[in-house]
Amino acid sequence: MPALDLPRLIAHRGLSARAPENTLAAVRASHAAGFDWVELDVQRLGDGTPVIWHDRDVSRCSDGRGRLATLDLAAARRLDAGAWFAHAFAGERMATLDEMLALLVDLDMGMNLELKVNRGHDPVALAEAAVPAVMEALPFERRLVSSFDERALRASRALAGPERLALGALFDRVPRDWQARAEAVQAVSVHANWKPLRAERAKAIKAADYALVCYTANDPAAFAPRWDWGVDAVISDDPTRFDTAS
């Protein structure tokens, strides 16, 4: 199996502390700051187009209102996805998955893509829309697909074996049956909310030979003891804060 080139620091939704999250601008900012990997969210518009977006609706991160599933690409293109963050980003548009992949290829970056299954969305259709495009655009060592939704993970695994696609099992609190759930989709990594994670569980994950990814850590001093638990990578809104701590 090819080796996954997972870095210690990954920019959450791009460098979201310095640019509007999940946008091309946020990925460019991550690259400019020296980070080679980003974590991004993908969903489908109402017309089936996969786009880089986190929320079920568009009100928090654009000048529009309404659910993502009610928009087609033309309507999504009319939204300003940058001005809410800062005037300098006014006019930033919602990125399609294809646009984001083209930028990542151009910048020679890696990506942890979360299949974001919000209420009312089809996890299988999302996997089928996103995973083949990711596999075609990026080499194995620079792509990791994760999800909280086991249906999305199963659908992703059905599209490709572990030698062709690395999967990450996402949890808030890592449950007691985490290993059975990770094994069911042949995951290579376990992604955990760093705050409720305990040393015993972290060490068990590492002993079972999984990569351990923690999200979303923005306080290097508070996070520091967890490096000794075997954490492989941290997803942060501002990974530049970890430069001296990690």
Side-chain angles (χ1 to χ4, degrees):
M1 185 183 298
L4 188 63
D5 188 18
L6 199 63
R8 283 170 68 81
L9 297 170
I10 300 172
H12 184 233
R13 306 179 193 169
L15 194 55
S16 57
R18 302 190 182 182
E21 66 180 57
N22 277 320
T23 61
L24 300 176
V27 172
R28 293 191 186 100
S30 176
H31 181 262
F35 299 100
D36 295 328
W37 272 62
V38 289
E39 183 271 351
L40 301 168
D41 303 287
V42 67
Q43 297 189 66
R44 293 166 70 237
L45 295 173
D47 64 5
T49 304
V51 293
I52 306 302
W53 202 258
H54 177 272
D55 294 0
R56 184 171 180 250
D57 60 55
V58 299
S59 59
R60 182 174 66 88
C61 294
S62 83
D63 60 349
R65 291 187 177 277
R67 290 184 294 114
L68 198 70
T70 65
L71 301 177
D72 60 16
L73 183 57
R77 288 290 195 208
R78 291 193 289 270
L79 298 176
D80 186 324
W84 68 272
F85 186 88
H87 179 72
F89 295 101
E92 185 74 21
R93 300 302 168 190
M94 183 185 296
T96 66
L97 175 60
D98 286 345
E99 289 170 338
M100 186 61 75
L101 288 170
L103 178 61
L104 293 169
V105 169
D106 184 54
L107 298 177
D108 197 27
M109 294 180 71
M111 173 179 63
N112 171 192
L113 185 68
E114 180 184 341
L115 302 178
K116 196 71 182 177
V117 184
N118 284 312
R119 190 174 68 233
H121 290 249
D122 183 341
V124 175
L126 176 59
E128 291 175 344
V131 169
V134 172
M135 292 176 61
E136 182 177 353
L138 300 175
F140 181 97
E141 64 271 13
R142 289 197 286 114
R143 51 175 158 83
L144 174 62
V145 173
S146 63
S147 187
F148 287 100
D149 193 290
E150 293 183 30
R151 298 164 298 172
L153 291 174
R154 288 195 299 268
S156 298
R157 179 54 72 221
L159 290 165
E163 73 286 350
R164 296 183 58 225
L165 178 64
L167 291 181
L170 254 169
F171 301 105
D172 183 7
R173 293 180 177 272
V174 181
R176 291 183 179 180
D177 65 345
W178 68 267
Q179 189 165 0
R181 292 164 69 172
E183 288 176 351
V185 295
Q186 297 175 289
V188 302
S189 57
V190 173
H191 300 225
N193 182 340
W194 76 277
K195 289 184 178 179
L197 183 65
R198 296 295 176 258
E200 181 180 358
R201 187 58 49 85
K203 292 175 180 179
I205 291 168
K206 292 306 301 173
D209 204 28
Y210 288 89
L212 176 57
V213 180
C214 285
Y215 71 92
T216 304
N218 294 318
D219 184 338
F223 186 84
R226 289 158 177 80
W227 291 115
D228 293 334
W229 301 353
V231 172
D232 294 283
V234 163
I235 297 172
S236 175
D237 295 328
D238 190 0
T240 64
R241 300 179 63 185
F242 282 79
D243 282 357
T244 57
S246 57

